[in-house]
Amino acid sequence: GVYRRAGSEAVVEIAARTGSASRPILLRGDDGSSTGDSLGEAILDADGGAFGVRLTGSSHIVLDNFVILGARGREGAGVQVRAD
């Protein structure tokens, strides 16, 4: 499906979450094969927001199988990673 931002600068915002090298936090976009939904891409549409995904103060995060589009952040950044 298509997921759009709702009143923030990013579609997905993750703050102060920590996985580990052996157990990362996994965000996986399903193409429909796991859920039985109609097949299609998992799209994060920033819709003119700064970023598709913003990670703040987090580590060992894995993003898998997403299309990120429509971001207007620095150089069209789809993902912003911040220390704090």
Side-chain angles (χ1 to χ4, degrees):
V2 177
Y3 302 89
R4 292 183 174 85
R5 66 186 182 90
S8 70
E9 287 294 307
V11 181
V12 175
E13 296 202 36
I14 298 174
R17 299 286 185 239
T18 303
S20 67
S22 63
R23 294 192 59 156
I25 296 171
L26 174 63
L27 301 174
R28 177 174 288 150
D30 177 38
D31 63 4
S33 59
S34 294
T35 60
D37 294 329
S38 299
L39 294 180
E41 297 176 319
I43 299 171
L44 303 177
D45 184 356
D47 194 28
F51 309 99
V53 177
R54 181 178 5 220
L55 306 173
T56 305
S58 300
S59 66
H60 296 94
I61 309 292
V62 175
L63 300 172
D64 183 39
N65 204 30
F66 289 102
V67 173
I68 302 171
L69 54 86
R72 64 164 174 74
R74 286 190 184 147
E75 299 164 13
V79 178
Q80 181 188 51
V81 178
R82 299 171 43 141
D84 58 8

